[in-house]
Amino acid sequence: MKLETLQKRWAKIRSNYRGIAREFGEQLTGAKPQEWLIFRGDVIRPVWTSGHGRFCSNCDHTRDICAVLDALRVKYETGNDAPRGGLTGNYIKIISKIE
């Protein structure tokens, strides 16, 4: 898939998304520099932790990011590589080549 095609698709659906989903879409299409640590190599890590000690919580954005990828018609696969299946082991790997 060409980057220009991806940018055109994003321009059509951009107004439907807010927050994390919008920032992810802009980062994916190149409209915004990669500021997040969400991309690690070729894998997207949509879950991270916030807080310390007993006030720690998981911030899960898997569904938001998958919704953006589905709307852009980008092929991806999801999985979990945590040894005991924890939420922070979730990953999304983009299969489509973006040139």
Side-chain angles (χ1 to χ4, degrees):
M1 174 182 302
K2 291 188 176 183
L3 185 60
E4 297 161 356
T5 306
L6 197 62
Q7 289 172 345
K8 287 178 185 176
R9 288 180 186 172
W10 176 245
K12 288 180 183 177
I13 64 169
R14 182 180 185 271
S15 60
N16 299 337
Y17 295 97
R18 294 187 179 141
I20 297 293
R22 179 177 281 185
E23 290 194 22
F24 171 73
E26 290 177 354
Q27 185 178 357
L28 183 67
T29 58
K32 195 174 198 179
Q34 292 187 1
E35 299 170 355
W36 294 355
L37 296 176
I38 197 166
F39 283 109
R40 294 187 183 125
D42 60 344
V43 175
I44 302 167
R45 296 289 179 171
V47 182
W48 56 86
T49 58
S50 174
H52 302 307
R54 74 177 202 185
F55 301 107
C56 188
S57 61
N58 288 326
C59 301
D60 185 13
H61 301 287
T62 307
R63 294 177 70 198
D64 298 334
I65 292 174
C66 286
V68 170
L69 291 173
D70 288 336
L72 292 173
R73 292 179 284 195
V74 174
K75 294 179 183 175
Y76 64 92
E77 65 180 26
T78 59
N80 190 318
D81 60 0
R84 293 181 292 197
L87 193 62
T88 54
N90 287 354
Y91 67 86
I92 301 171
K93 185 174 184 178
I94 297 178
I95 299 172
S96 297
K97 280 191 171 182
I98 300 172
E99 300 171 357

